[in-house]
Amino acid sequence: MALLSLILHCIHAVPQVPCYFIFGDSLSDDGNNNYLPTLAKVNYPPYGIDYPQGPTGRFSNGKNIQDVIAENLGFPSPIPPFANATGNAILKGVNYASGGAGIRFETGETVGARISLDMQLTNHAITISKIAAILLSNESASDLLSKCIYTIDIGSNDYILNYFLPQFYPTSHQYTPQQYAKVLIQQYSRQIQNLYHNGAKKFALFAIGYIGCTPYAVATYGTKNGSACVDDQNQAVQLFNEALLSLVNELNNNISDAKFTYINPYGFTATGFVTNSSCCEVDNGGQLCVRNSVPCSDRSKYTYWDGVHPTQAINILAGDFAYATTSTSNAYPFNLQSLALQ
Ligand SMILES: *[C@@H]1O[C@H](CO)[C@@H](O)[C@H](O)[C@H]1NC(C)=O
Ligand SMILES: *[C@@H]1O[C@H](CO)[C@@H](O)[C@H](O)[C@H]1NC(C)=O
Ligand SMILES: *[C@@H]1O[C@H](CO)[C@@H](O)[C@H](O)[C@H]1NC(C)=O
Ligand SMILES: *[C@@H]1O[C@H](CO)[C@@H](O)[C@H](O)[C@H]1NC(C)=O
Ligand SMILES: *[C@@H]1O[C@H](CO)[C@@H](O)[C@H](O)[C@H]1NC(C)=O
């Protein structure tokens, strides 16, 4: 009897934190954009070809990085999208992420509607009142919210769908890459502190990936000097990531009753992957798969699913890395496993 109960306990293992709230862009979106008038939505095949429920709005052939992190944290099912989250499910967390979204409001407006980070924070305030209503107490809600992990993975689009589209957005005329990283981080700092004032205490802030190495970037901008990547794009993002790490240090120094960590989920080395082409056939924009097209069959060998988003295979490596890496240049001062214990 004791053994059976032990086994049952393990199967229904309790997550390491009671709740997980996710903010971000298409790398994390699990269905919020399905309901919006935008080109940045992917609830059609071949997206989801390796996902049990098929196309859900995840920008991947299967799981996205947040699905993998939620599994690592012990959640038995994925964190529901805000657009769909109902009832007591919200007590375990909500995913607010939206394809095309950025730190800045105007980011992504050329592709259509998107839920900017400020709007995601507004949606979180709605969730908080619902949680207080379910728990019949603001105090119980605050207590719960203080124990959750809050992940924000945003900023790629402030470059891809803003700074590096000078024909549509003025930012690259207004700011040098150094200045732009600084204004982004200043705005981001206020947004993060808004979340803190709404009861968050455990923050994971994600670095931007190698946007200059995507098939989209290489095809659109070309490379120089024999590089495999668009180096000036990666260099611009590197300035953002350095400033983000400094921000994390400042926030940890200034705010004593919260923990902040910097996570670069792409700090691992993966060998044997095809990196110079997308697994699926991409449309004219160069970013998303052609509707109903037939993708590559060896999806586990590709880095890029479409023109800009990683395959499930890479998302699993990245999510596992974010959770468990002991490399302090990629997870500082905590990986997600130790953030949960703080
Ligand atoms: C949202 O809810 C609808 C209706 O219940 C369901 O068909 C759909 O799969 C859900 N979408 C997501 C992304 O969970
Ligand atoms: C929580 O606080 C707000 C604002 O003070 C109040 O309007 C609301 O009724 C409170 N909710 C609960 C469940 O106590
Ligand atoms: C290409 O390489 C040369 C020689 O190393 C260097 O002087 C030049 O600045 C590089 N060009 C670019 C665009 O990086
Ligand atoms: C941290 O505190 C210092 C000193 O008060 C202040 O100058 C700085 O802006 C604060 N940093 C953040 C990110 O709030
Ligand atoms: C990708 O790289 C492989 C191995 O270096 C090469 O054989 C192939 O032609 C490249 N494909 C494209 C589309 O550039």
Side-chain angles (χ1 to χ4, degrees), residues 23 101-103 115-122 152 154 188 191:
F23 300 80
I103 292 167
I115 309 164
S116 68
L117 184 53
D118 281 330
M119 187 54 77
Q120 293 180 31
L121 294 167
T122 302
I152 320 182
I154 204 155
Y188 198 16
Q191 291 160 329

Side-chain angles (χ1 to χ4, degrees), residues 24-341:
D25 55 28
S26 56
L27 294 168
S28 305
D29 189 347
D30 63 353
N32 287 307
N33 276 23
N34 296 352
Y35 307 89
L36 299 180
T38 173
L39 300 175
K41 73 174 148 189
V42 293
N43 50 350
Y44 59 82
Y47 287 94
I49 187 170
D50 298 310
Y51 197 76
Q53 282 78 41
T56 55
R58 286 171 171 77
F59 291 71
S60 166
N61 56 307
K63 294 170 193 170
N64 67 28
I65 185 172
Q66 300 302 342
D67 295 321
V68 178
I69 291 171
E71 277 172 16
N72 271 298
L73 288 170
F75 288 91
S77 48
I79 304 300
F82 177 76
N84 246 27
T86 51
N88 287 357
I90 65 171
L91 299 176
K92 292 197 167 147
V94 173
N95 182 333
Y96 304 97
S98 167
I103 292 167
R104 291 169 73 87
F105 171 77
E106 83 276 11
T107 288
E109 68 184 2
T110 45
V111 293
R114 70 270 164 232
I115 309 164
S116 68
L117 184 53
D118 281 330
M119 187 54 77
Q120 293 180 31
L121 294 167
T122 302
N123 287 343
H124 183 57
I126 295 171
T127 299
I128 292 176
S129 356
K130 288 184 185 164
I131 288 177
I134 293 171
L135 299 179
L136 305 172
S137 141
N138 283 329
E139 205 186 7
S140 311
S142 304
D143 185 52
L144 177 70
L145 293 166
S146 71
K147 295 178 177 141
C148 313
I149 288 184
Y150 299 75
T151 284
I152 320 182
D153 184 356
I154 204 155
S156 301
N157 291 325
D158 294 293
Y159 289 90
I160 300 171
L161 295 177
N162 188 328
Y163 195 76
F164 288 117
L165 290 180
Q167 64 275 45
F168 298 123
Y169 301 87
T171 45
S172 62
H173 307 298
Q174 292 168 314
Y175 305 113
T176 63
Q178 193 89 46
Q179 291 165 336
Y180 190 57
K182 193 171 170 193
V183 297
L184 283 179
I185 290 291
Q186 281 167 347
Q187 185 168 356
Y188 198 16
S189 173
R190 292 190 291 271
Q191 291 160 329
I192 292 161
Q193 292 180 62
N194 168 308
L195 196 50
Y196 168 74
H197 291 300
N198 271 326
K201 306 266 192 221
K202 298 181 179 198
F203 295 81
L205 308 174
F206 280 46
I208 302 176
Y210 301 103
I211 63 165
C213 300
T214 64
Y216 160 78
V218 171
T220 307
Y221 298 93
T223 62
K224 290 182 184 134
N225 274 1
S227 171
C229 302
V230 185
D231 295 335
D232 60 336
Q233 297 204 356
N234 286 341
Q235 283 154 11
V237 158
Q238 184 59 28
L239 298 171
F240 175 92
N241 289 343
E242 285 163 11
L244 180 61
L245 180 59
S246 306
L247 175 65
V248 163
N249 286 323
E250 260 187 58
L251 292 169
N252 277 324
N253 286 331
N254 289 12
I255 303 179
S256 58
D257 67 341
K259 303 287 180 193
F260 301 85
T261 196
Y262 166 92
I263 302 277
N264 169 20
Y266 304 110
F268 59 92
T269 36
T271 52
F273 280 83
V274 177
T275 57
N276 60 354
S277 62
S278 309
C279 169
C280 76
E281 181 192 338
V282 295
D283 64 17
N284 291 337
Q287 299 200 0
L288 302 181
C289 303
V290 172
R291 189 176 289 263
N292 296 323
S293 58
V294 178
C296 68
S297 53
D298 47 350
R299 294 180 285 279
S300 64
K301 297 203 170 65
Y302 277 70
T303 295
Y304 296 101
W305 160 242
D306 59 14
V308 281
H309 301 105
T311 52
Q312 167 175 272
I314 292 292
N315 288 332
I316 290 173
L317 292 174
D320 289 351
F321 185 80
Y323 180 74
T325 181
T326 54
S327 153
T328 52
S329 54
N330 292 301
Y332 187 80
F334 313 110
N335 59 26
L336 287 167
Q337 184 174 29
S338 51
L339 183 65
L341 298 172

